[in-house]
Amino acid sequence: MRSGGAFALEQFPAPHLHEGTTTAGMMFSVVLCLLPAGLWGVLLFGPRALYVLAVSVGTSLLTELAVSGLFLRRFTLGDGSALLTGLLLGYSLPPAVPLFIPAVASFFAIAVIKLTFGGLGRNWMNPALGARVFVMFSWTGPMTRWAAPLAAADALSGATPLGLVKEALAHPVHGVRGPIELLLAGLHPAGLKAGFFPDLLQRLGRLTPAGYGQLALGTMAGCIGEGSAFLLALGSVYLFVKKIIAWEIPAAYLGSFSLLAWAFGGLPFGTGLFRGDVAFHLLSGGLALGALYMAADPVTSPLRRPGRILFGLGCGGLTFLLRTWGSQPEGVALAVILMNMLVPLLNRIGARPAAEVKK
Amino acid sequence: MMGSCQSGLEAPVSRELAGLIALSRSEVRRTAETPCIGCGRCVSACPWSLAPVEIYKALEHRRFAEAEEAGLAECTECGCCAYVCPARIPLAAGMRRGKSAAARG
């Protein structure tokens, strides 16, 4: 659109400037911030974890390319969302999982959860979490066989900290005052065999303080990318500063979850109210990955601050309920998906009715 | 942010004109529009605490009553929403067009 005068001037409506962010830029920033935790996971669990990540990311990209190209006639790989979904999904799978599972899960995430609703921005459920729940309930066996990092040579052994505690609490416990004691009693002695650089990591394993230190570093059985709460939190700092993820959601999520864990976390151990082990609950399982990277997914979370806070509170409450009294040790995925369903309702909260000045 | 584009250099400059801005091509380079991801940046940016994204979507589907209810009339077309939108959706221009479309019904 150009016209007239001595100079040709571009014409388009105001504002003519832009602050600079793009959707793809946001997606790639999240991918970048996730990388340290993933690299750490690969280091701990070995080449097997790398294959799982490669299959989930690869299938995700191929599915997006094929399905979006064939049915929507659009080339959408450039927006980075398929890459991010594949990566998040791979992070939330156990490293020893058979390789067809990440492939099926990625296909389901992209083709069914995301593209059937119209692609990026239109899906109501977080694709990575939805696919994780789908394969979890379809292949529960392989999805709950854990390889312990830095642990004995029998690769298919060990339980996740949360699984271990859940298992122990299935029978009456006596004389145990909290989950960390169960954990220390039930774990392999730290520091035996790692995926890469076994010698170096062995030494690190011995140096890591048992219990909370292991939990924060993720040197325990768990999913590939969810282990190190420390590295996940580190990556998220950039995202908070750049306002790529809304701080309200993780704050309300982790806040309400901590409060509940502190108040009622002691009940299964018979230690009464306000004796829960908050640090154990915050550092274990998929909470860091779920609260910082998945619940805060802009597509499947509310628009306004009041809605976001309620969304986070709901996620925290449901996660605690599911973890403590659910049949599975983990609760993050289901909690976030349940809250995803409520987003259209939560979006009505805080919506201001138009001022009645005119008329 | 709210100025109007001139088609050429032969435009009158009157006393009421507050400013004249000339932007180079690299400054006004536009990026292709991508789907809305619901990040809510436009909502945080709006000085009238409207939800530009909701108004824009209602207008896109010609649901004018819904757009009015969401505060279309209160929009001053300041352009803050379009300035921050990572999907590069022309929200402010949409509001302007939407107001006249809504008036026509």
Side-chain angles (χ1 to χ4, degrees):
Chain A
M1 267 196 277
R2 288 178 198 172
S3 72
F7 293 91
L9 300 179
E10 292 252 7
Q11 277 204 301
F12 62 90
H16 301 97
L17 297 177
H18 195 278
E19 163 231 31
T21 37
T22 58
T23 303
M26 288 170 74
M27 297 288 174
F28 289 120
S29 306
V30 180
V31 167
L32 222 60
C33 290
L34 276 169
L35 280 183
L39 286 175
W40 180 237
V42 169
L43 213 60
L44 288 178
F45 295 110
R48 188 71 198 170
L50 196 62
Y51 303 152
V52 172
L53 288 180
V55 170
S56 75
V57 171
T59 314
S60 172
L61 294 177
L62 280 177
T63 311
E64 176 92 17
L65 185 68
V67 179
S68 184
L70 281 176
F71 295 102
L72 304 174
R73 305 260 164 223
R74 262 188 269 147
F75 177 78
T76 45
L77 277 188
D79 64 29
S81 73
L83 174 66
L84 180 57
T85 297
L87 201 65
L88 279 173
L89 180 60
Y91 277 27
S92 63
L93 296 174
V97 82
L99 290 180
F100 78 90
I101 287 182
V104 173
S106 272
F107 178 81
F108 187 79
I110 300 292
V112 179
I113 301 180
K114 194 171 112 185
L115 291 173
T116 46
F117 289 92
L120 177 64
R122 294 173 195 270
N123 52 296
W124 59 268
M125 186 200 274
N126 183 302
L129 280 181
R132 193 215 129 87
V133 170
F134 168 68
V135 291
M136 177 75 202
F137 286 117
S138 306
W139 293 281
T140 312
M143 283 293 289
T144 47
R145 265 205 300 277
W146 306 96
L150 304 175
D154 48 327
L156 293 180
S157 70
T160 61
L162 283 174
L164 202 108
V165 170
K166 184 127 242 168
E167 184 87 353
L169 283 174
H171 317 288
V173 286
H174 297 291
V176 180
R177 299 221 310 280
I180 204 81
E181 287 179 25
L182 285 173
L183 191 66
L184 291 174
L187 273 186
H188 305 274
L192 295 164
K193 181 175 174 284
F196 292 104
F197 310 111
D199 299 336
L200 195 72
L201 287 173
Q202 242 179 53
R203 206 160 304 150
L204 182 77
R206 271 195 293 271
L207 286 176
T208 312
Y212 297 114
Q214 283 173 295
L215 283 173
L217 280 183
T219 52
M220 294 193 160
C223 296
I224 297 168
E226 71 177 21
S228 175
F230 171 70
L231 286 177
L232 288 168
L234 199 69
S236 73
V237 171
Y238 177 77
L239 300 179
F240 284 122
V241 171
K242 297 291 266 180
K243 295 189 177 162
I244 289 170
I245 46 180
W247 62 269
E248 295 95 339
I249 295 169
Y253 192 159
L254 297 174
S256 64
F257 180 82
S258 307
L259 211 62
L260 287 170
W262 172 64
F264 303 114
L267 292 183
F269 295 91
T271 48
L273 290 173
F274 307 112
R275 288 285 167 79
D277 189 341
V278 177
F280 170 82
H281 274 287
L282 279 183
L283 294 175
S284 54
L287 190 67
L289 187 64
L292 296 172
Y293 294 90
M294 296 198 181
D297 167 23
V299 177
T300 52
S301 61
L303 274 176
R304 294 183 189 79
R305 183 165 294 165
R308 286 176 172 170
I309 291 173
L310 277 175
F311 178 84
L313 293 178
C315 287
L318 283 171
T319 304
F320 182 74
L321 280 178
L322 287 165
R323 268 195 185 182
T324 315
W325 289 288
S327 61
Q328 301 281 332
E330 268 288 356
V332 173
L334 285 174
V336 175
I337 285 179
L338 282 169
M339 290 311 290
N340 282 167
M341 292 181 200
L342 297 181
V343 165
L345 275 178
L346 292 172
N347 268 338
R348 301 182 75 106
I349 297 170
R352 212 176 47 125
E356 289 166 75
V357 262
K358 319 259 157 75
K359 267 172 210 176
Chain B
M1 297 270 280
M2 297 173 63
S4 58
C5 244
Q6 296 306 311
S7 55
L9 297 180
E10 289 87 35
V13 175
S14 64
R15 240 164 54 129
E16 289 78 31
L17 195 73
L20 222 127
I21 302 171
L23 298 167
S24 68
R25 186 155 293 160
S26 64
E27 282 174 308
V28 296
R29 190 173 39 210
R30 283 176 295 171
T31 310
E33 188 182 330
T34 53
C36 171
I37 54 166
C39 64
R41 286 187 172 209
C42 55
V43 181
S44 330
C46 180
W48 305 103
S49 6
L50 304 170
V53 51
E54 289 180 345
I55 303 176
Y56 188 86
K57 281 180 182 168
L59 289 172
E60 246 185 348
H61 295 100
R62 301 189 62 79
R63 291 199 294 260
F64 296 124
E66 200 181 309
E68 292 287 358
E69 203 166 308
L72 173 64
E74 285 166 74
C75 167
T76 54
E77 296 162 32
C78 66
C80 291
C81 47
Y83 178 73
V84 297
C85 177
R88 309 294 174 115
I89 299 168
L91 290 158
M95 302 288 167
R96 200 170 310 132
R97 271 201 317 276
K99 279 182 195 167
S100 53
R104 282 198 306 274

